[in-house]
Structures are given as structure tokens and as C-alpha cells.
Amino acid sequence: MKKDRQKLILELISRQPVETQQQLQALLEQNGVHCTQATLSRDLHTLGIVKQMEPNGTIRYGINPLSIEDDDQRKLLNIARMAVVSVEAAQNIIVLKALPGLAGAVGSFVDHLEQHGLVGSIAGNDTILLVMKDSGAAEDLLQVIQELLSGKRALP
């Protein structure tokens, strides 16, 4: 239930601007999820969701992947587990697909794994492109990502 609620929260803030907890709580209820303000506040904290200013000056909830510490990396792993739709490798390139608006958080999570052989990464709205040194490094990172996302591996 908690994981489903948190996944729905990520989907809701990625699909539309959400400015207040009350607005988010109403959207959750419209989707059949009832929770208290305290529960919602804990979920926002757990997911690392903060209020951000948009270029047009409006404030909305979003994920801030810029300041990464150990606890933040665990939060980003939780987000990645809920946000990643697919992971595929092609030669020395890995492509991750995520829920709309969450590629930056997933990309930040992968960047901070400090995996040997990662040459660079680019994150768009819902796609993350990882360029690896060679296909062997790509296969190694692909396995690490899949194991972390499935819970078969813990963060280093």
C-alpha cells in the first residue's frame, strides 16, 4: 500500500503541477488513495520531494537531485525503483526509461554510483542515456542497476 501510494505520488507530480499538500491529497483521493496529511508529509520527505520554482515563477513539487549525500542516495534509489520503466543495453550504451519528469532524479542516482567505465550520462524528461567505455562496462553497470532496482543488491 505504501509503495503503491508513493508511486502514485511520483506519477501525479510528474504529470501535472502540484503546488500544495492539500492539492496532492485531493488528487490522491480522486485516485482512490486516502491518507492523512502527516502520512503524505512523511511520503514527500521519504521520496525527497521538495517545492521548486518553475521558470514562469510558479511553485510546484519536484525532485531535487543536486545535493546528494548517503541518505539522499537511498531516497533516489527508492524513487528509481518506482520510476524506472525499463533498462536496456546496446553495445556500450545503456538506456533507462522513467516516468515523465523523473529522469533527472534517476540519472543523478546512477551518476553517484561512481561505476567504473561510465564516460557520461544525459537525462531528459523520461529517458536517461549512459555512455560506457566499452560493452563489458555496460553489461557490468546494467547488472548493478538491475540488481539495485530489484532489491537483490544493497547500495555500496
Side-chain angles (χ1 to χ4, degrees):
M1 174 102 169
K2 177 180 177 180
K3 191 169 196 146
D4 293 336
R5 182 181 63 246
Q6 290 178 346
K7 185 172 184 172
L8 180 59
I9 290 169
L10 289 171
E11 289 174 5
L12 290 170
I13 68 167
S14 71
R15 285 191 298 214
Q16 60 196 319
V18 177
E19 298 176 7
T20 66
Q21 283 190 15
Q22 293 80 11
Q23 181 185 4
L24 183 55
Q25 194 170 19
L27 290 168
L28 287 167
E29 289 192 17
Q30 289 171 9
N31 285 275
V33 175
H34 305 285
C35 68
T36 65
Q37 184 276 329
T39 298
L40 180 56
S41 184
R42 279 191 299 273
D43 285 343
L44 293 174
H45 179 74
T46 298
L47 294 169
I49 295 172
V50 295
K51 286 193 172 186
Q52 299 175 327
M53 184 174 293
E54 294 291 298
N56 66 3
T58 62
I59 303 290
R60 69 176 282 179
Y61 282 113
I63 298 166
N64 183 5
L66 299 178
S67 170
I68 305 299
E69 297 174 7
D70 287 345
D71 190 45
D72 293 331
Q73 186 69 350
R74 280 188 278 285
K75 289 176 185 175
L76 288 175
L77 173 58
N78 289 335
I79 291 167
R81 285 180 173 156
M82 290 182 265
V84 172
V85 176
S86 67
V87 183
E88 293 186 50
Q91 302 288 329
N92 68 319
I93 296 173
I94 299 173
V95 178
L96 292 95
K97 291 286 192 175
L99 294 172
L102 297 177
V106 174
S108 184
F109 165 72
V110 173
D111 282 345
H112 286 85
L113 289 177
E114 298 179 7
Q115 189 71 20
H116 178 70
L118 178 61
V119 176
S121 65
I122 300 172
N125 182 49
D126 63 358
T127 304
I128 303 96
L129 177 70
L130 307 174
V131 179
M132 304 301 295
K133 184 176 180 179
D134 54 43
S135 60
E139 287 300 321
D140 290 345
L141 181 55
L142 178 68
Q143 183 176 354
V144 167
I145 291 170
Q146 289 173 330
E147 289 176 358
L148 284 167
L149 294 178
S150 69
K152 293 180 183 174
R153 179 187 290 228
L155 283 172

